[in-house]
Amino acid sequence: LGWRMSEEEWMKDVACINQLKLRGSWGVTGNNDIVNYAAYDKLLSANYTFGTNNTLVPGLANISSTLGNRAISWEQTNEYNVGFDLSMFKTRLNLSVDYYYAITKSLLFQQPALAITGYTNYWNNIGKVRNQGIEMQLHTVNIAGEWNWETDFSATYNTNKIIDLNSAVPYYINQVNNSYLTMLQKGYPINVFYGYVTDGLFQNQSEVDNHAFQPGAAPGDIRYRDLNNDGVINESDRTVIGNPNPTWLFSMNNTVEWKGLELSVYLQGVAGNSIYNANNIENTGMAAAMNQTVAVLDRWTGEGTSNFMPRAVYGDPNQNCRVSDRFVENGSYLRVKNITLAYSFPSRLLEKIHLQGLRLAFVCENVATISKYSGFDPEVSINGIDASRYPIPRTYSVGLNINF
């Protein structure tokens, strides 16, 4: 549903506005993007021993770890959208802004099965998730004439929240170092990090003795906060320590043209998210005889020498490498994704060699990244866990486009 306000009589005298349109929409979409035949128990190839001679006979058996569920159905997303389109200054400025509110119900999720069934998990429809935010797209013609300069900018602000989970008990998923790291729980965003909160290092034995009971602790170890004030550091002191979901997603492309030359620069980034740098469990854990990064040169070696990098100790008796905010980092980044410099040869030259078009381009991908993240690449998977992600290479290429 839309309303072109710029067509109204009372707006026709506003010379700077070429178009103004208000619009709204509502729709329902479905999703069934999971493994095939999740509703059914699967027969897999298996061998069975028959007779007194122990003859091995090939066949089929229901030995899958996933239980079928005939009751599963599609996810459904109800989305409401209101926004406007604005064009001004002889269409040199074009702006679109949308506010959206989406509720996804009957989420498809692989949840644990009861041990008595003999299966480990099954697909099921659980809960509701809300996503809401603002999307903006801006196109401007900054310079027009012999020089041309145009800019395209887009940004999205999004928040998500689990509204219902069909259970008061959270779901813990994505293990790191033999411990669950991410959590699904009503009232929180999807896949929040769940772990211990650090509080500096124990500098001496007196600090260890005066703190809540923390098994294996010694001077130089990480001090964890006793969040429930029961005098013991245990699983009950774990809490939400980070959100892997970006609040902002943005990109910008600038194109400058002059007499056949064209320069294009594309930037892209995210902000407001956290990354769990699981690489540092091995790289800075100092719990075994293996290579470490230079960061461990600043480790604790005596009272007052460090308050962030713990001591080196074989076996990690204090569990300094347990799931905690020690390994949670800022995941925001801005990346120069692409720079393209191209030249289109003039038509007067092409006519002499009987060509319709000739364009030479030099391209550089993944030029540079601005980020506080200590890992190789802040552009990690959707769950926000960096577990040995290989860095994106910078590439250079040359291209020639010929039209006959």
Side-chain angles (χ1 to χ4, degrees):
L1 179 65
W3 175 28
R4 292 185 181 273
M5 294 180 61
S6 55
E7 298 297 320
E8 301 292 339
E9 289 295 330
W10 47 272
M11 282 207 66
K12 289 185 177 180
D13 293 333
V14 184
C16 65
I17 296 179
N18 304 111
Q19 177 179 291
L20 176 59
K21 179 182 179 180
L22 300 181
R23 49 186 168 73
S25 63
W26 169 81
V28 180
T29 57
N31 172 44
N32 67 339
D33 189 17
I34 59 173
V35 297
N36 294 328
Y37 313 114
Y40 305 100
D41 295 325
K42 301 179 181 68
L43 293 176
L44 303 176
S45 298
N47 297 321
Y48 194 82
T49 303
F50 278 104
T52 57
N53 294 327
N54 294 327
T55 304
L56 201 62
V57 179
L60 297 173
N62 185 8
I63 58 174
S64 171
S65 62
T66 302
L67 177 67
N69 181 8
R70 298 291 185 95
I72 60 172
S73 60
W74 286 44
E75 290 181 357
Q76 295 181 23
T77 300
N78 287 266
E79 182 169 339
Y80 303 86
N81 182 293
V82 293
F84 68 87
D85 299 319
L86 175 64
S87 180
M88 301 179 66
F89 310 122
K90 297 182 180 180
T91 69
R92 292 186 62 165
L93 184 150
N94 299 278
L95 174 66
S96 293
V97 177
D98 291 271
Y99 168 78
Y100 61 89
Y101 182 92
I103 294 288
T104 301
K105 63 181 182 179
S106 300
L107 292 165
L108 289 165
F109 180 73
Q110 198 170 27
Q111 66 182 109
L114 294 174
I116 195 173
T117 64
Y119 296 90
T120 57
N121 51 59
Y122 67 102
W123 285 96
N124 197 16
N125 295 105
I126 63 167
K128 297 179 182 178
V129 170
R130 183 198 70 201
N131 280 278
Q132 63 176 342
I134 296 175
E135 293 181 339
M136 180 183 72
Q137 292 184 326
L138 176 66
H139 173 77
T140 61
V141 180
N142 308 310
I143 300 175
E146 185 176 1
W147 284 86
N148 289 291
W149 174 24
E150 298 187 13
T151 300
D152 290 286
F153 176 79
S154 66
T156 299
Y157 174 82
N158 181 77
T159 61
N160 75 64
K161 184 178 182 180
I162 298 174
I163 304 301
D164 185 28
L165 206 57
N166 293 2
S167 172
V169 179
Y171 292 101
Y172 300 102
I173 53 179
N174 295 315
Q175 286 193 6
V176 169
N177 205 23
N178 297 318
S179 180
Y180 285 107
L181 169 59
T182 58
M183 176 183 70
L184 301 176
Q185 184 173 6
K186 180 180 178 180
Y188 290 94
I190 294 175
N191 277 349
V192 290
F193 301 141
Y194 180 75
Y196 293 88
V197 179
T198 60
D199 189 21
L201 305 181
F202 292 115
Q203 296 298 325
N204 51 57
Q205 188 60 43
S206 177
E207 291 186 1
V208 176
D209 297 337
N210 292 325
H211 185 58
F213 177 66
Q214 189 171 305
D221 284 329
I222 294 176
R223 175 171 49 217
Y224 297 102
R225 290 187 179 178
D226 182 16
L227 298 183
N228 63 353
N229 295 315
D230 65 351
V232 179
I233 303 299
N234 54 28
E235 288 284 325
S236 299
D237 295 304
R238 296 182 67 173
T239 187
V240 174
I241 56 175
N243 181 5
N245 305 292
T247 305
W248 287 97
L249 300 94
F250 45 84
S251 65
M252 182 171 67
N253 188 67
N254 279 281
T255 302
V256 179
E257 298 176 341
W258 177 73
K259 293 184 177 181
L261 276 174
E262 178 184 314
L263 175 65
S264 176
V265 180
Y266 176 64
L267 296 89
Q268 169 263 335
V270 301
N273 62 305
S274 300
I275 297 175
Y276 196 87
N277 191 351
N279 303 305
N280 281 344
I281 296 173
E282 300 292 339
N283 294 341
T284 63
M286 297 177 289
M290 61 177 65
N291 289 334
Q292 306 284 278
T293 66
V294 294
V296 304
L297 296 177
D298 295 323
R299 67 188 181 275
W300 188 92
T301 56
E303 186 169 351
T305 55
S306 176
N307 200 40
F308 60 91
M309 183 62 69
R311 63 176 178 146
V313 54
Y314 186 82
D316 192 13
N318 183 58
Q319 297 181 42
N320 291 323
C321 292
R322 71 180 78 183
V323 173
S324 72
D325 58 7
R326 173 188 178 185
F327 303 113
V328 177
E329 300 185 35
N330 186 346
S332 303
Y333 70 89
L334 175 64
R335 170 168 287 158
V336 183
K337 192 74 173 178
N338 176 285
I339 296 179
T340 299
L341 179 62
Y343 180 69
S344 297
F345 290 83
S347 56
R348 64 178 182 275
L349 175 63
L350 299 180
E351 290 174 356
K352 298 179 180 179
I353 54 178
H354 307 289
L355 292 178
Q356 296 292 322
L358 181 61
R359 185 174 186 267
L360 178 65
F362 301 89
V363 181
C364 182
E365 296 277 355
N366 304 311
V367 183
T369 302
I370 301 172
S371 175
K372 294 182 179 180
Y373 181 58
S374 65
F376 286 129
D377 186 3
E379 195 172 355
V380 299
S381 62
I382 193 171
N383 60 22
I385 303 172
D386 185 359
S388 302
R389 174 173 173 78
Y390 195 79
I392 296 177
R394 180 183 300 149
T395 59
Y396 302 89
S397 58
V398 179
L400 185 64
N401 186 280
I402 303 175
N403 294 323
F404 294 95

